[in-house]
Amino acid sequence: MSRIKLIRFAENANRPDIVEPGKDTYQQLGGRWHEAFFQNNHPITLEVGCGKGEYTVGLAERYPERNFLGLDIKGDRIWRGSTRAEALGLTNVGFVRTRAHDLLTHFAPGELAEIWITFPDPRPRDRDIKRRLTSPRFLDLYQQALQPGGLIHLKTDNEGLFDYTLEVLHERAGASILAHTKDLYATPELLPHAEDIQTTFERKYRTLDVPIKYVQFTLR
């Protein structure tokens, strides 16, 4: 492991906005995020697979009346998001270092108001279908963690993942697709729903003229 990563991991261990293995708060905040972490009762939005936290921090900066959490397994990535949030003086954002399939270890039923999935690994191989963040396995987790009517958003450059997601939603009882497009920036009426905050991936794909796909949906 590089010296830089070791330094960042040491800093993560002392940052109150990062919840990770080894800390007393790890696996102890489910059902208590409002009172024990944010110390307010504002709605909580989770970004699953937040990477460097660009989207999580961007949302927190835009909506100070809401709380935001970024979930990712990579401590180095989370450090970047935490560092930016600290530089901006944000107090309505935090990060959880864990795997997406452990979601219910950290959140009680109905604790989340909204979920974002931005540019996840499309997992194109058939043997990896269950690892796609919009597979039925993960939708089951989101449904439990979300409050009734809670929104889920997917942004992706990958047409295969986008089509797969729509297919899964059409087949799922109780799922409602509220908005979708294969070219978000050619559908300006959807931009307010999709948030025009751009991650490094999104800027890259836009530079390459790759259309950004977007779908917004709810689960019963």
Side-chain angles (χ1 to χ4, degrees):
M1 184 180 298
S2 71
R3 181 174 176 274
I4 292 177
K5 281 191 175 182
L6 288 173
I7 293 173
R8 290 176 177 178
F9 290 165
E11 291 181 2
N12 285 355
N14 293 309
R15 291 189 176 183
D17 64 334
I18 295 178
V19 176
E20 63 179 359
K23 292 189 176 182
D24 292 340
T25 53
Y26 191 70
Q27 296 187 357
Q28 294 184 9
L29 288 170
R32 302 177 59 245
W33 282 96
H34 286 109
E35 61 187 80
F37 188 84
F38 290 110
Q39 298 180 2
N40 63 51
N41 203 35
H42 299 165
I44 299 173
T45 294
L46 176 71
E47 182 185 5
V48 179
C50 69
K52 299 175 184 178
E54 296 162 292
Y55 219 82
T56 301
V57 174
L59 289 170
E61 186 178 17
R62 181 169 293 183
Y63 299 105
E65 74 282 5
R66 299 176 66 91
N67 298 320
F68 296 88
L69 289 168
L71 182 152
D72 203 282
I73 194 59
K74 299 291 188 179
D76 184 53
R77 296 174 184 172
I78 282 178
W79 177 88
R80 293 174 182 270
S82 171
T83 299
R84 176 161 174 74
E86 183 179 0
L88 292 170
L90 300 176
T91 59
N92 63 329
V93 60
F95 297 90
V96 187
R97 186 163 72 85
T98 192
R99 298 184 185 277
H101 61 245
D102 290 328
L103 187 69
L104 297 183
T105 301
H106 302 279
F107 298 98
E111 193 163 23
L112 299 176
E114 196 168 11
I115 289 175
W116 279 88
I117 309 166
T118 56
F119 299 92
D121 187 333
R123 307 288 184 186
R125 295 179 297 185
D126 289 343
R127 69 181 185 183
D128 287 335
I129 285 178
K130 290 184 179 180
R131 301 178 67 189
R132 295 173 186 169
L133 289 181
T134 54
S135 68
R137 168 197 187 193
F138 285 104
L139 294 185
D140 289 343
L141 299 179
Y142 306 153
Q143 184 172 352
Q144 293 179 69
L146 278 168
Q147 64 188 35
L151 294 177
I152 304 176
H153 310 259
L154 168 70
K155 289 176 81 173
T156 180
D157 63 292
N158 189 274
E159 188 163 352
L161 178 63
F162 179 78
D163 291 341
Y164 166 81
T165 302
L166 293 183
E167 181 180 343
V168 170
L169 293 174
H170 282 306
E171 294 176 352
R172 187 181 181 92
S176 296
I177 298 174
L178 305 180
H180 67 95
T181 177
K182 283 195 172 184
D183 193 345
L184 178 61
Y185 289 89
T187 318
E189 65 271 19
L190 290 184
L191 278 174
H193 300 283
E195 302 298 347
D196 55 356
I197 299 164
Q198 294 186 22
T199 65
T200 300
F201 282 115
E202 187 162 349
R203 290 191 295 271
K204 170 187 172 182
Y205 294 127
R206 291 203 68 201
T207 300
L208 296 172
D209 291 325
V210 176
I212 305 302
K213 292 80 176 169
Y214 168 74
V215 57
Q216 177 192 107
F217 59 97
T218 60
L219 303 170
R220 185 165 61 189

